Amino acid sequence: MADGVKNSVGNKPAMPIAFVAIYAVAFAAGISATAYSCHSMCCELKMSGDWTMSMMWGRMRGQTWFGSAMSFLLMWLAMMVAMMMPSALPMFLKTKRSWASLCSMASGYFAIWLIAGVGVYLVGIVFAAMAMRLEWFSRAVPWLLAVTLIAAGAIQFTRWKMTHLLRCRSPFGCVISCPQYETGFRLGCQQGVACCVCCAAPMTVQLVLGIMNPVVMIGVAMVIAAEKLLPRPALVARFVGASTIVAGVVSFCVVIMSHP
């Protein structure tokens, strides 16, 4: 490979130490920034329908919408770095590229996740505005969240999920081998798109259960890592799907009992 790194023994690619070191620093920074965000955005507002909404979907006093969006996107990027780096590192290293190319790949990968964060933010502020202004919608939210969990679990059993999971597990973001001489950034973007689509259901679960809940965050990160790294991805995906459906059914029963 043109930009692969070779050592002097046996013609095996050498470990890109510089990239791993940069990756470790970025991972530590992501964890620190995420922990700070979880602490600073912990306030919640009691809503009609007996549920709580995070204040992160609104503006602080004196804050513009642009400032609010930038705060969210910085938090989102830090969270994605903390959650995705453990499962993404083996994929990057499998490409056997130089450390500079790997850094470019990682930039493309997280650029796609940042773009996904823009979509999440827009959906979140629209959802929050409707919940604040429409009482009937606010009262329906617990039911909607339970249905969303069941739907997210059902997605885990589909051929669509497995197609994109296999694509995400590929070192180049596609089921068949992609051109090995493409730029690292472009390959990173391909991998980012594959990963975003593959992780749609787990990330939906995180949004439903609490995007800034550390326990939920760690659980979803473990699920994503298991789907990408364990040897039987279909079995892992179905187990996660079944567990999510059960959680959705339990949530539905709780809503029914609390709203007779």
Side-chain angles (χ1 to χ4, degrees):
M1 188 176 295
D3 57 352
V5 180
K6 304 291 184 180
N7 62 20
S8 59
V9 179
N11 202 38
K12 291 183 179 181
M15 174 70 71
I17 301 299
F19 172 71
V20 174
I22 294 171
Y23 205 86
V25 172
F27 179 59
I31 291 178
S32 299
T34 301
Y36 173 78
S37 298
C38 289
H39 177 73
S40 61
M41 296 185 181
C42 61
C43 299
E44 295 183 333
L45 181 65
K46 187 75 173 179
M47 302 295 294
S48 299
D50 196 24
W51 62 285
T52 57
M53 182 174 67
S54 172
M55 297 299 290
M56 69 183 298
W57 302 115
R59 294 179 295 172
M60 302 294 291
R61 181 171 298 178
Q63 188 181 42
T64 64
W65 278 115
F66 178 79
S68 174
M70 291 301 102
S71 296
F72 175 85
L73 290 177
L74 287 174
M75 177 278 299
W76 173 266
L77 181 59
M79 183 173 67
M80 290 301 101
V81 167
M83 292 179 61
M84 300 299 172
M85 274 191 159
S87 59
L89 179 59
M91 174 272 301
F92 289 138
L93 295 179
K94 284 179 183 178
T95 63
K96 300 178 175 63
R97 289 180 162 239
S98 68
W99 74 270
S101 181
L102 289 173
C103 289
S104 181
M105 283 186 66
S107 298
Y109 177 83
F110 286 108
I112 295 299
W113 273 109
L114 187 60
I115 293 171
V118 174
V120 171
Y121 179 73
L122 293 175
V123 171
I125 60 174
V126 170
F127 181 91
M130 292 180 64
M132 293 288 289
R133 297 175 184 177
L134 303 174
E135 184 175 353
W136 67 266
F137 181 80
S138 180
R139 293 187 178 279
V141 165
W143 303 89
L144 178 61
L145 297 182
V147 170
T148 302
L149 281 177
I150 295 173
I155 289 174
Q156 294 288 107
F157 290 89
T158 63
R159 181 178 298 177
W160 179 88
K161 165 69 179 185
M162 285 311 305
T163 297
H164 291 288
L165 178 55
L166 293 177
R167 180 173 296 149
C168 187
R169 287 168 65 98
S170 166
F172 291 111
C174 52
V175 175
I176 60 174
S177 184
C178 292
Q180 298 180 354
Y181 295 100
E182 289 196 55
T183 64
F185 186 83
R186 183 171 176 178
L187 288 178
C189 289
Q190 284 183 311
Q191 195 69 39
V193 171
C195 188
C196 282
V197 175
C198 170
C199 297
M203 293 306 298
T204 298
V205 172
Q206 182 174 347
L207 288 170
V208 169
L209 298 182
I211 188 172
M212 297 306 297
N213 185 316
V215 176
V216 174
M217 198 180 302
I218 293 171
V220 171
M222 292 175 63
V223 164
I224 291 172
E227 287 188 345
K228 290 184 182 181
L229 303 178
L230 292 183
R232 301 186 66 182
L235 184 62
V236 175
R238 289 166 184 166
F239 175 78
V240 172
S243 301
T244 304
I245 291 173
V246 169
V249 172
V250 171
S251 298
F252 222 111
C253 293
V254 170
V255 173
I256 291 174
M257 289 188 294
S258 60
H259 298 82

